[in-house]
């Protein structure tokens, strides 16, 4: 495994903890800031909206070396998470989460292009999956650690650690990632020209709807496991480890399969399976062992989609690859924000914690329809 890809994965590790740990510590944050669970869910949305704001800004720095852009984005990661660790109230935390989200999509976009350039021939999807692996490892170890530290000490500790981790990211990107050739500059307007084709829009909408469906359920995974599946609060840490293991395996499998089969078809099959799993969660969440199995299948599917979606957007955004690669994370986190919002609606109406999965199932299925349309129109003909 190339050290340069490992260095890029260190960055996604920090981003993964910053994004996903909120699901594991949501109850603790709500209690400390004196807000209810549904309101605390807005902190998830604030991060996602930061992603959507920050990613398009890449067009303003497109002429700078890709490595320099990565280092600048890591500095923003450090600032946002340090502010979150010291947030005195809900609104300060909202701002801190927004700042923390600003570099997320941009980092993934630039790092995906760098990983693709550094990959061996025919191994582009696998190289991107290694870069994305940092986020899955965050869910395997970082998020459970954050949940544990939140219970033992304070939820603030984990955000402080993410801020400090930025020092290591800066060091290893600076040392291990070589300077790569810049993308051709097609001008400001040229960065957006690829959006005239329906292909990237199908991929963006599929990502948004598909991830929105998953996050309707996953945003409220903690109370679901405790109040519906019957697990004790102390067992949440190990359950988050299992969810993270599903993400790790799904990501690596999705990347490898996409190099052997068409990434669009891999993504479509996985997305269709996710919609069925979410529906099963609604009906079977009360059966503890089945809930654990379904949770792992859903998180595996969530990240099995990552590298094929990332590679597809790079391929179908000629002339605007920076914006195209970053748009995956914009769509992902817009879906995250929508999922957290729509998943919270049945809870605000007094319904049980399995209802967010029911809300998420049709959203995920809509993403499957978009991917199916993409495959039929573009992957069979190879047209961009």
């Amino acid at each position: 495994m190339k050290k340069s890809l490992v260095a890029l994965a260190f960055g996604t590790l920090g981003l993964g903890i910053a994004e996903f740990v909120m699901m594991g510590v949501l109850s603790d944050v709500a209690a400390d800031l004196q807000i209810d669970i549904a309101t605390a869910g807005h902190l998830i949305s604030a991060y996602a909206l930061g992603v959507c704001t920050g990613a398009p800004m890449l067009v303003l720095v497109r002429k700078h070396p890709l490595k320099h852009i990565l280092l600048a984005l890591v500095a923003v990661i450090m600032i946002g998470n340090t502010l979150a660790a010291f947030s005195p109230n809900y609104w300060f935390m909202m701002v801190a989460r927004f700042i923390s989200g600003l570099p997320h999509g941009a980092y993934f976009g630039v790092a995906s292009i760098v990983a693709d350039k550094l990959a061996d021939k025919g191994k582009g999807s696998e190289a991107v999956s290694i870069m994305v692996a940092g986020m899955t490892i965050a869910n395997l170890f970082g998020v459970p650690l954050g949940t544990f530290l939140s219970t033992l000490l304070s939820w603030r500790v984990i955000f402080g650690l993410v801020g400090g981790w930025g020092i290591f990211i800066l060091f290893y990107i600076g040392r291990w990632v070589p300077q790569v050739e810049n993308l051709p500059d097609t001008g400001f307007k040229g960065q957006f020209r690829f959006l005239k084709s329906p292909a990237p829009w199908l991929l963006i909408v599929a990502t948004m709807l598909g991830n929105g469906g998953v996050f309707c359920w996953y945003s409220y995974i903690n109370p679901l496991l405790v109040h519906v599946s019957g697990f004790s609060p102390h067992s949440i840490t190990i359950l988050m480890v299992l969810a993270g293991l599903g993400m790790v395996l799904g990501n690596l499998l999705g990347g490898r399969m996409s190099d052997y089969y068409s990434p669009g078809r891999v993504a479509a099959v996985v997305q269709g399976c996710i919609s069925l799993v979410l529906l099963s969660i609604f009906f079977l969440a009360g059966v503890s062992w089945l809930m654990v199995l379904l949770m792992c299948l859903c998180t595996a599917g969530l990240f099995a989609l990552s590298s094929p979606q990332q590679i597809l957007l790079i391929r179908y955004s000629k002339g605007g690859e920076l914006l195209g690669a970053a748009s995956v994370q914009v769509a992902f986190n817009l879906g995250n924000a929508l999922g957290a919002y729509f998943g919270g609606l049945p809870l605000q109406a007094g319904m049980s914690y399995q209802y967010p999965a029911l809300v998420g199932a049709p959203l995920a299925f809509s993403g499957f329809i978009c991917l199916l349309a993409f495959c039929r129109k573009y992957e069979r003909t190879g047209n961009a």
Side-chain angles (χ1 to χ4, degrees), residues 27-36 40 43 87-91 93-94 155-156:
S27 299
D28 294 334
V29 173
D32 189 22
L33 299 181
Q34 299 180 352
I35 54 178
D36 58 41
L43 297 172
S87 295
N89 55 52
Y90 169 70
W91 289 109
M93 184 64 171
M94 284 282 284
W155 59 269
R156 300 175 185 275

Side-chain angles (χ1 to χ4, degrees), residues 148-190:
F148 173 75
L149 290 176
S150 180
T151 303
L152 184 66
L153 299 172
S154 169
W155 59 269
R156 300 175 185 275
V157 173
I158 191 63
F159 290 108
L161 289 176
V162 174
W165 178 245
I167 297 172
F168 293 93
I169 307 173
L170 287 172
F171 176 77
Y172 285 108
I173 287 180
R175 184 174 181 179
W176 288 351
V177 176
Q179 294 283 1
V180 296
E181 182 183 359
N182 269 21
L183 296 168
D185 183 16
T186 58
F188 184 81
K189 291 182 178 179

Side-chain angles (χ1 to χ4, degrees), residues 12 15-16 18-20 47 50-51 54-55 73 77 99-109 135 326 329-330 332-333:
T12 61
L15 290 168
E19 180 178 20
F20 286 103
Y47 185 97
V51 177
L73 292 170
I77 295 172
I99 294 173
S100 298
L102 287 173
H104 186 113
Y107 182 94
F108 267 87
M135 177 164 281
Q329 291 300 314
V330 173
F332 184 100
N333 283 273

Side-chain angles (χ1 to χ4, degrees), residues 194-216:
F194 73 96
L195 293 173
K196 293 181 179 180
S197 167
W201 285 109
L202 284 170
L203 295 168
I204 290 168
V205 173
T207 303
M208 181 185 69
L209 294 175
N211 286 282
V214 173
F215 278 99
C216 279

Side-chain angles (χ1 to χ4, degrees), residues 35-374:
I35 54 178
D36 58 41
I37 292 289
T39 303
H42 296 163
L43 297 172
I44 299 171
S45 301
Y47 185 97
L49 293 175
V51 177
C52 297
T53 304
M57 293 181 181
L58 281 176
V59 299
L60 302 177
V61 295
R62 64 188 183 278
K63 296 181 181 179
H64 292 272
L66 297 177
K67 183 175 178 178
H68 293 176
I69 298 174
L70 286 173
L71 294 173
L73 292 170
V74 173
V76 181
I77 295 172
M78 296 170 65
I79 293 169
N81 284 281
T82 301
L83 289 174
F86 292 97
S87 295
N89 55 52
Y90 169 70
W91 289 109
F92 193 99
M93 184 64 171
M94 284 282 284
V95 173
R97 290 290 289 170
F98 178 79
I99 294 173
S100 298
L102 287 173
H104 186 113
Y107 182 94
F108 267 87
V110 178
S112 295
I113 293 171
V114 173
D116 192 35
K117 286 179 174 289
L118 296 174
D120 297 329
K121 187 176 180 180
K123 298 291 184 181
S125 293
E126 187 172 353
V128 171
S129 73
I130 293 171
M131 181 274 295
V132 174
M135 177 164 281
T136 64
I137 293 172
N139 283 277
L140 180 59
F141 296 112
V143 173
L145 175 63
T147 305
F148 173 75
L149 290 176
S150 180
T151 303
L152 184 66
L153 299 172
S154 169
W155 59 269
R156 300 175 185 275
V157 173
I158 191 63
F159 290 108
L161 289 176
V162 174
W165 178 245
I167 297 172
F168 293 93
I169 307 173
L170 287 172
F171 176 77
Y172 285 108
I173 287 180
R175 184 174 181 179
W176 288 351
V177 176
Q179 294 283 1
V180 296
E181 182 183 359
N182 269 21
L183 296 168
D185 183 16
T186 58
F188 184 81
K189 291 182 178 179
Q191 298 294 308
F192 298 90
R193 195 167 293 127
F194 73 96
L195 293 173
K196 293 181 179 180
S197 167
W201 285 109
L202 284 170
L203 295 168
I204 290 168
V205 173
T207 303
M208 181 185 69
L209 294 175
N211 286 282
V214 173
F215 278 99
C216 279
W217 155 73
Y218 198 66
S219 298
Y220 305 96
I221 184 69
N222 190 329
L224 171 67
L225 292 171
V226 173
H227 298 294
V228 178
S229 300
F231 292 99
S232 70
H234 298 291
S235 64
I236 296 299
T237 298
I238 187 64
L239 291 171
M240 290 297 100
V241 170
L242 293 175
L245 180 61
M247 294 179 184
V248 171
L249 296 176
N251 173 59
L252 296 177
L253 183 61
R256 182 155 295 187
M257 294 292 286
S258 294
D259 281 329
Y260 287 100
Y261 303 98
S262 68
R265 290 180 182 177
V266 171
V269 170
V270 172
Q271 188 64 69
C273 292
I274 287 175
S275 61
L276 294 176
V277 171
L278 286 171
L279 196 60
S280 300
I281 287 173
F282 172 72
F283 289 107
L284 301 172
V287 183
S288 299
W289 70 270
L290 269 178
M291 180 58 213
V292 174
L293 176 61
L294 292 169
M295 175 185 70
C296 293
L297 288 174
C298 201
T299 56
L302 177 66
F303 275 88
L305 291 166
S306 295
S307 56
Q309 288 172 336
Q310 204 81 50
I311 284 293
L312 284 169
L313 256 300
I314 293 174
R315 289 179 183 175
Y316 285 86
S317 58
K318 298 300 182 184
E321 287 88 350
L322 274 177
L323 182 60
S327 66
V328 176
Q329 291 300 314
V330 173
F332 184 100
N333 283 273
L334 186 57
N336 185 339
L338 292 173
Y341 175 76
F342 286 114
L345 292 180
L347 303 183
Q348 290 178 325
M351 297 180 182
S352 179
Y353 284 106
Q354 72 260 39
Y355 275 87
L358 183 62
V359 175
L363 285 176
F365 186 75
S366 299
F368 164 71
I369 296 299
C370 290
L371 287 170
L372 197 62
F374 171 84

